[in-house]
């Protein structure tokens, strides 16, 4: 079979075009919802392209283990959140599809003076990848194509810029340059050494061997110095930036601004609800925590600290080295209940910061009204709300879209944060921030549920994020259910009182059983060996999509 046909079949197979449930990161989904706006999209145009900025190809540059895939996935997540039609084209996907399962490229495949056979194979793979880029930009109204490959030579980059220019596509090169040995080893440990080649090997030794193998396989790499090209050089995971000629439109400057907030260092984000307040139903009252709420804050703090210490212990056992516990920063809104929920952590010496943008969604005139009263007083508004619960707002209220736009500064600061982060907020805020990190659709966001007896943990990974839930034991069952509906109208498509749980096991939405979106749950022993009263252990999403991209861990494209 022709290798290009093989690549076409594999690159368009369901593994690359799956429909995620809300349980797993959907950043690599190919959306079929052409008419839907993105969560933080401010406007739409006839062409479907935003900012009137034309078409842009972002071309990644850099050796493996430099965080290129992490950067381009994070960038795609942000741009798609804003409504910019963005898609990632990983050259490694095309190489694997062409050589087939278990196939290997020739030894000299990456060499500048490769054999004619290797050159032909390389050109076929490159041609198919670029044909898909042009087809997506020209026929699917794509706006930003992210081309994830090494692109090691100046001559090759100049030729690529000329080729894109012939198709009326502006080119922005983005190099991740790393000469810090500690960052390189950490990247290799975190991403690459799960390859079967390094099974059972000491992580530090495996990281060093992997980096040496890269030097052998890709002997020639020229860092970007081409004065005539538009490029950004990110140095040592965001320690410094260098820009050249980046002046062609507003969207390119927006991308550069985002990159200045980005880093590739490993860290974890936790989401948790605020405790029960004395006036739980009131938005205006800003009520303090009740006695149950204060008890919840203490138990949540103890559970989180215990979980982080156990994770640190397990990491030390895997690596054979003492691993320092990463610092933890706590963010709350300016609402009294969230501040008081974070008080036990502040007393233990953790840094707690208040964020005014993280206040809960404003219910407007519907505050404290029953569903019957809302239907009687605002029948037309109810009809609009049932058609689009994400974008609709009741009189003097906020929509989830308003909340997403309000939270954009928080999202940028979240990307900038290098410590582990705990966010204590109202359920409406958690829905939006979770949806950003796990790439949920606007139709799912209003239905997400966060019970109080769960801490949700998001673990960023290079190809896609992972999620885990940590059970908080010993809570009064009355404090567990979801918060009062912001506007007491049942979201269309959900049974009374139900919603999509962001983590499996809390409910069984129909999306979870859709073909290609199976999400299984396995129990972890992360709290075994520690004497605590736990009704169920932390559970981690077994991400089937992650299994399907497991062959990317040793990627050298």
């Amino acid at each position: 079979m022709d290798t290009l046909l093989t690549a076409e079949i594999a690159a368009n197979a369901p593994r690359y075009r799956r429909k995620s449930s809300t349980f797993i990161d959907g950043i690599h989904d190919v959306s079929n919802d052409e008419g839907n706006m993105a969560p933080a999209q401010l406007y739409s145009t006839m062409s479907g392209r935003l900012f009137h900025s034309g078409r842009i190809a972002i071309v990644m540059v850099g050796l493996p283990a430099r965080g290129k895939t992490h950067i381009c996935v994070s960038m795609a997540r942000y741009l798609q959140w804003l409504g910019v039609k963005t898609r990632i084209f990983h050259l490694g996907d095309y190489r694997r599809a062409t050589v087939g399962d278990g196939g290997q490229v020739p030894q000299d495949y990456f060499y500048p003076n490769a054999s004619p056979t290797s050159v032909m194979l390389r050109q076929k793979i490159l041609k198919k990848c670029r044909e898909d880029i042009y087809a997506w930009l020209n026929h699917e109204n794509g706006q930003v194509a992210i081309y994830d490959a090494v692109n090691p030579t100046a001559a090759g980059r100049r030729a690529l810029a000329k080729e894109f220019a012939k198709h009326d596509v502006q080119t922005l090169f983005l190099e991740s340059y790393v000469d810090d040995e500690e960052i390189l080893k950490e990247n290799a440990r975190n991403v690459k050494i799960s390859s079967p080649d390094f099974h059972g090997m000491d992580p530090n030794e495996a990281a060093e061997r992997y980096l040496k193998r890269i030097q052998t396989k890709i002997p020639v790499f020229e860092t970007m110095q081409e004065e005539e090209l538009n490029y950004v050089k990110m140095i040592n995971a965001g320690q410094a930036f260098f820009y050249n000629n980046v002046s062609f439109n507003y969207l390119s400057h927006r991308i550069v601004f985002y990159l200045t907030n980005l880093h590739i260092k490993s860290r974890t984000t936790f989401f948790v609800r605020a405790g029960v307040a004395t006036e739980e139903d009131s938005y205006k009252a800003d009520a303090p925590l009740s006695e149950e709420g204060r008890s919840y804050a203490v138990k949540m703090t103890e559970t989180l600290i215990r979980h982080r210490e156990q994770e640190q212990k397990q990491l030390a056992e895997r690596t054979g080295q003492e691993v320092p516990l990463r610092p933890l920063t706590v963010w709350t809104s300016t609402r009294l209940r969230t501040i008081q929920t974070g008080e036990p952590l502040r007393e233990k010496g953790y840094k707690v910061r208040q964020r005014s943008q993280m206040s809960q969604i404003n219910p407007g005139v519907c505050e404290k009204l029953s569903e019957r009263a809302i239907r009687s007083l605002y029948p037309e508004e109810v009809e609009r709300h049932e058609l689009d619960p994400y974008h609709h707002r009741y009189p003097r209220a906020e929509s989830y879209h308003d909340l997403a736009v309000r939270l954009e500064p928080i999202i940028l600061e979240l990307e900038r944060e290098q410590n582990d982060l705990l966010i204590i907020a109202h359920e409406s805020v958690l829905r939006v921030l979770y949806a950003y990190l796990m790439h949920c659709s606007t139709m799912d966001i209003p239905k997400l549920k966060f019970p109080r007896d769960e801490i949700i943990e998001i673990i960023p990974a290079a190809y896609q994020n992972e999620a885990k839930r940590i059970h908080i034991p010993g809570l009064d069952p009355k404090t567990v259910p979801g918060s009062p509906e912001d506007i007491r109208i049942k979201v269309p498509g959900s049974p009374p009182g139900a919603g999509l749980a962001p983590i499996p096991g809390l409910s069984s939405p129909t999306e979870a059983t859709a073909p290609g979106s199976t999400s299984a749950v396995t129990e972890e022993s992360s709290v075994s060996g520690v004497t605590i009263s736990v009704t169920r252990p932390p559970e981690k999403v077994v991400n089937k999509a992650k299994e399907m991209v497991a062959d990317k861990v040793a990627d050298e494209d």
Side-chain angles (χ1 to χ4, degrees):
M1 181 179 288
D2 182 76
T3 54
L4 291 183
L5 182 59
T6 306
E8 183 172 7
I9 293 170
N12 291 285
R15 59 177 283 186
Y16 296 106
R17 302 181 68 88
R18 63 188 172 80
K19 169 68 175 75
S20 290
S21 71
T22 58
F23 303 156
I24 58 179
D25 187 355
I27 187 59
H28 293 285
D29 292 356
V30 178
S31 174
N32 294 319
D33 302 323
E34 292 297 329
N36 289 346
M37 292 178 70
Q41 186 169 334
L42 293 178
Y43 67 94
S44 60
T45 63
M46 290 294 291
S47 68
R49 300 188 181 114
L50 299 191
F51 306 121
H52 309 288
S53 296
R55 302 173 302 172
I56 300 174
I58 299 177
V59 180
M60 302 302 298
V61 176
L63 291 168
R66 267 67 177 176
K68 295 192 308 299
T69 298
H70 178 94
I71 291 168
C72 66
V73 167
S74 297
M75 192 161 40
R77 188 184 308 281
Y78 177 69
L79 291 173
Q80 290 182 23
W81 179 258
L82 296 178
V84 180
K85 291 192 68 174
T86 306
R87 188 168 173 185
I88 309 168
F89 295 83
H90 299 283
L91 186 61
D93 288 346
Y94 292 86
R95 174 176 53 80
R96 276 181 293 273
T98 301
V99 300
D101 292 338
Q104 296 289 330
V105 295
Q107 184 67 31
D108 65 346
Y109 176 81
F110 294 99
Y111 289 12
N113 56 345
S115 65
T117 303
S118 294
V119 171
M120 287 180 61
L121 176 62
R122 193 163 61 200
Q123 290 303 320
K124 284 185 176 182
I125 295 170
L126 290 171
K127 180 182 177 184
K128 176 56 188 169
C129 182
R130 291 173 192 175
E131 283 177 351
D132 282 359
I133 291 175
Y134 300 136
W136 181 74
L137 290 172
N138 293 329
H139 305 303
E140 298 183 46
N141 274 339
Q143 184 160 19
V144 176
I146 303 177
Y147 177 37
D148 183 17
V150 172
N151 295 305
T153 65
R157 294 190 292 261
R158 289 189 175 101
L160 188 57
K162 289 179 181 178
E163 182 182 339
F164 278 123
K166 289 179 183 177
H167 291 81
D168 196 26
V169 177
Q170 301 165 101
T171 308
L172 173 62
F173 291 90
L174 173 56
E175 179 181 355
S176 179
Y177 178 84
V178 180
D179 60 5
D180 186 313
E181 290 297 324
E182 289 304 313
I183 296 176
L184 284 174
K185 288 180 181 178
E186 182 182 0
N187 287 346
R189 281 195 298 265
N190 291 342
V191 180
K192 302 294 184 181
I193 63 170
S194 50
S195 166
D197 294 349
F198 304 107
H199 180 70
M201 192 179 295
D202 174 75
N204 290 323
E205 181 185 353
E208 290 180 3
R209 285 198 182 186
Y210 176 80
L211 295 172
K212 287 179 181 177
R213 188 163 81 178
I214 292 304
Q215 292 176 355
T216 302
K217 281 200 168 188
I218 311 177
V220 176
F221 178 82
E222 299 168 0
T223 188
M224 290 215 67
Q225 295 177 327
E226 300 91 307
E227 294 182 357
E228 74 277 16
L229 299 182
N230 304 297
Y231 70 85
V232 178
K233 184 183 290 189
M234 180 185 286
I235 302 170
N236 288 332
Q239 291 178 7
F241 285 85
F242 180 81
Y243 313 100
N244 185 71
N245 264 357
V246 184
S247 58
F248 43 86
N249 58 49
Y250 171 76
L251 183 54
S252 65
H253 287 284
R254 190 79 180 251
I255 291 167
V256 169
F257 176 67
Y258 172 75
L259 290 171
T260 61
N261 290 277
L262 186 65
H263 65 84
I264 59 174
K265 294 181 180 178
S266 178
R267 58 84 196 266
T268 298
T269 302
F270 300 94
F271 291 147
V272 72
R273 290 266 307 283
V276 181
T278 54
E279 293 186 62
E280 186 76 350
D281 287 351
S282 177
Y283 171 80
K284 296 176 183 175
D286 194 16
L289 292 181
S290 63
E291 283 303 314
E292 293 89 347
R294 293 182 184 278
S295 173
Y296 162 83
V298 171
K299 290 176 180 176
M300 180 274 293
T301 298
E302 292 171 350
T303 301
L304 178 65
I305 292 173
R306 195 159 46 222
H307 171 74
R308 296 183 74 239
E309 290 174 348
Q310 188 64 26
E311 291 281 293
Q312 178 198 24
K313 180 181 176 183
Q314 290 182 345
L315 181 61
E317 290 173 355
R318 288 197 303 269
T319 61
Q321 295 180 338
E322 281 299 318
V323 181
L325 190 63
R326 284 194 300 266
L328 176 70
T329 300
V330 182
W331 289 359
T332 74
S333 73
T334 52
R335 306 285 288 183
L336 190 56
R337 70 184 70 177
T338 65
I339 295 171
Q340 292 182 344
T341 303
E343 189 63 21
L345 286 157
R346 189 190 65 79
E347 291 173 355
K348 291 182 179 293
Y350 292 96
K351 187 176 182 179
V352 180
R353 302 173 66 184
Q354 298 173 22
R355 293 285 181 270
S356 60
Q357 299 98 328
M358 282 172 38
S359 294
Q360 70 196 68
I361 197 169
N362 185 344
V365 298
C366 296
E367 182 180 7
K368 292 191 174 181
L369 292 181
S370 67
E371 180 175 338
R372 176 178 293 182
I374 296 173
R375 289 187 181 277
S376 174
L377 293 170
Y378 307 104
E380 293 181 356
E381 296 293 339
V382 169
E383 187 176 341
R384 295 190 189 102
H385 182 81
E386 291 180 336
L387 288 173
D388 189 356
Y390 183 84
H391 292 98
H392 173 262
R393 67 173 72 86
Y394 281 89
R396 295 197 290 278
E398 281 184 304
S399 66
Y400 274 98
H401 177 260
D402 297 331
L403 180 58
V405 172
R406 165 154 57 93
L407 286 172
E408 187 187 351
I410 295 297
I411 285 170
L412 289 171
E413 194 159 353
L414 187 153
E415 296 284 16
R416 189 163 59 242
E417 182 63 58
Q418 298 194 18
N419 295 341
D420 282 359
L421 179 63
L422 170 65
I423 294 178
I424 304 173
H426 185 268
E427 195 169 17
S428 58
V429 174
L430 299 184
R431 286 171 185 147
V432 173
L433 294 178
Y434 178 92
Y436 171 75
L437 290 174
M438 300 301 284
H439 200 75
C440 299
S441 75
T442 55
M443 299 305 293
D444 289 332
I445 292 173
K447 296 183 283 186
L448 295 173
K449 294 291 181 181
F450 293 82
R452 278 199 176 90
D453 65 344
E454 303 279 349
I455 300 171
I456 305 300
E457 179 180 7
I458 307 294
I459 307 165
Y463 200 77
Q464 59 195 19
N465 293 341
E466 299 176 5
K468 183 189 292 185
R469 62 179 185 174
I470 302 112
H471 176 61
I472 304 173
L475 294 182
D476 186 333
K478 292 184 294 185
T479 69
V480 171
S483 59
E485 287 298 322
D486 309 304
I487 298 168
R488 296 169 182 273
I489 299 291
K490 180 171 72 71
V491 174
S494 60
L500 285 179
I503 305 296
L506 303 183
S507 69
S508 300
T510 55
E511 287 89 335
T513 58
S517 64
T518 305
S519 183
V521 176
T522 57
E523 292 189 349
E524 292 189 340
S525 59
S526 61
V527 292
S528 61
V530 180
T531 308
I532 54 175
S533 174
V534 181
T535 56
R536 63 178 185 268
E539 295 176 327
K540 184 176 182 180
V541 177
V542 177
N543 192 335
K544 296 296 184 185
K546 185 186 176 186
E547 292 176 7
M548 291 189 291
V549 298
D551 54 358
K552 300 178 187 300
V553 293
D555 214 349
E556 284 142 14
D557 282 298

